[in-house]
Amino acid sequence: MSKNFSKNLRSLCANHGSFAQICREIGINRQQFNRYVTGAGMPSAHNLRRIGARFGVSDIDLMLEHEEFLVRHIQIASPSKPKTDPTSKLVGLFQDQAKTLRRFLGFYHVHFRTPAWPDQLVRSLIWLREQDGYVTTHAYERIINKDGSIRQCSRYSGLVTIRSNRIYLVEHVISGDSALSETVLFYPHRQQVNILKGRFLGVAARPRLSPYSSPVIWKRISSRVTAREALQATGVFSLKSDLIEPKIRNHIASSAVEGGTQSGM
């Protein structure tokens, strides 16, 4: 059984980049993975599922006789004979991420800009948590202008993955037109999880639905702060507001917002 598994794994790896890249994406130690490839060891049931998810192959098929495996998963995987579900590789990017992202779980205030509110900064609330091995996002955005004539409240839900010390989020608006947004974050040091910087790509709510990108900073919220307090601190602020930390305010203000306008066709 282990002999078939190692042969099948080598065939998959031959078509999917370097061992180092594969190990990073699966989250398995390189030395441990080499034992699987050479047949010197077998993965646990948990690691077997992770390996299968990375290649879009079931753990049962990984144990098939090598000749049968080639027919099912190597020879069939050609442009003329596409393999089963085309979404399997995309979904696999978000599977089993909870362990790798565990140190980032919790609540954050998210700071960014939007063309809908020029010269202002938006602060929203987001929660990263584990659900069945996935890391999911639950975000709340509340914008009320000074005279109360505009009250905009939105909720978002999404998935998170980490690749090469970059954190990727894909979210959608729960209500309304279900617009999609993407965020890419990085952290300068492994232990630095209180401040995350990156870029946000979304769709402006007004005057037209047009894409734009903005610098974004996440700041972790202390466990001493209640959920009500964290929510009350959200909203839209002047870029000169003392309610925003100077380092966050200056970084957001000095970085360009791109897009957000839509010319006529």
Side-chain angles (χ1 to χ4, degrees), residues 83-99:
K83 223 165 59 169
T84 56
D85 184 1
T87 67
S88 60
K89 289 186 177 181
L90 180 61
V91 173
L93 294 174
F94 297 94
Q95 290 177 328
D96 300 313
Q97 290 291 293
K99 182 178 180 181

Side-chain angles (χ1 to χ4, degrees), residues 168-227:
Y168 297 85
L169 289 80
V170 177
E171 299 175 281
H172 71 96
V173 181
I174 295 176
S175 58
D177 58 4
S178 296
L180 295 174
S181 64
E182 181 180 356
T183 302
V184 181
L185 301 169
F186 67 93
Y187 49 99
H189 305 290
R190 182 176 178 83
Q191 302 303 322
Q192 172 57 277
V193 297
N194 292 324
I195 294 290
L196 305 175
K197 297 181 180 180
R199 199 82 186 177
F200 167 81
L201 174 65
V203 176
R206 60 186 178 89
R208 296 180 178 181
L209 294 176
S210 52
Y212 75 97
S213 69
S214 165
V216 64
I217 294 184
W218 288 25
K219 182 180 180 183
R220 184 186 287 275
I221 299 173
S222 169
S223 58
R224 296 188 297 272
V225 176
T226 67

Side-chain angles (χ1 to χ4, degrees), residues 70-249:
L70 291 177
V71 171
R72 288 194 184 189
H73 296 286
I74 304 301
Q75 295 178 4
I76 294 178
S78 63
S80 59
K81 296 182 179 181
K83 223 165 59 169
T84 56
D85 184 1
T87 67
S88 60
K89 289 186 177 181
L90 180 61
V91 173
L93 294 174
F94 297 94
Q95 290 177 328
D96 300 313
Q97 290 291 293
K99 182 178 180 181
T100 308
L101 287 165
R102 186 159 293 137
R103 65 187 184 277
F104 297 102
L105 301 182
F107 290 87
Y108 294 82
H109 274 140
V110 180
H111 307 81
F112 63 98
R113 295 172 65 186
T114 167
W117 297 88
D119 302 320
Q120 306 224 35
L121 177 152
V122 176
R123 179 159 63 190
S124 62
L125 178 65
I126 193 166
W127 180 24
L128 267 62
R129 66 169 177 160
E130 176 186 352
Q131 287 185 286
D132 300 323
Y134 292 88
V135 173
T136 62
T137 68
H138 304 271
Y140 183 80
E141 180 182 300
R142 181 184 65 171
I143 298 177
I144 304 173
N145 66 343
K146 290 182 179 180
D147 61 10
S149 60
I150 297 177
R151 302 178 65 91
Q152 177 184 320
C153 297
S154 303
R155 291 187 299 124
Y156 299 80
S157 180
L159 292 171
V160 189
T161 186
I162 187 168
R163 293 288 182 273
S164 301
N165 85 325
R166 293 293 185 270
I167 300 172
Y168 297 85
L169 289 80
V170 177
E171 299 175 281
H172 71 96
V173 181
I174 295 176
S175 58
D177 58 4
S178 296
L180 295 174
S181 64
E182 181 180 356
T183 302
V184 181
L185 301 169
F186 67 93
Y187 49 99
H189 305 290
R190 182 176 178 83
Q191 302 303 322
Q192 172 57 277
V193 297
N194 292 324
I195 294 290
L196 305 175
K197 297 181 180 180
R199 199 82 186 177
F200 167 81
L201 174 65
V203 176
R206 60 186 178 89
R208 296 180 178 181
L209 294 176
S210 52
Y212 75 97
S213 69
S214 165
V216 64
I217 294 184
W218 288 25
K219 182 180 180 183
R220 184 186 287 275
I221 299 173
S222 169
S223 58
R224 296 188 297 272
V225 176
T226 67
R228 180 183 294 274
E229 291 171 336
L231 189 58
Q232 288 177 340
T234 63
V236 60
F237 303 84
S238 165
L239 287 175
K240 299 179 180 180
S241 173
D242 293 334
L243 296 175
I244 306 296
E245 290 185 22
K247 287 184 178 180
I248 294 177
R249 188 178 62 223

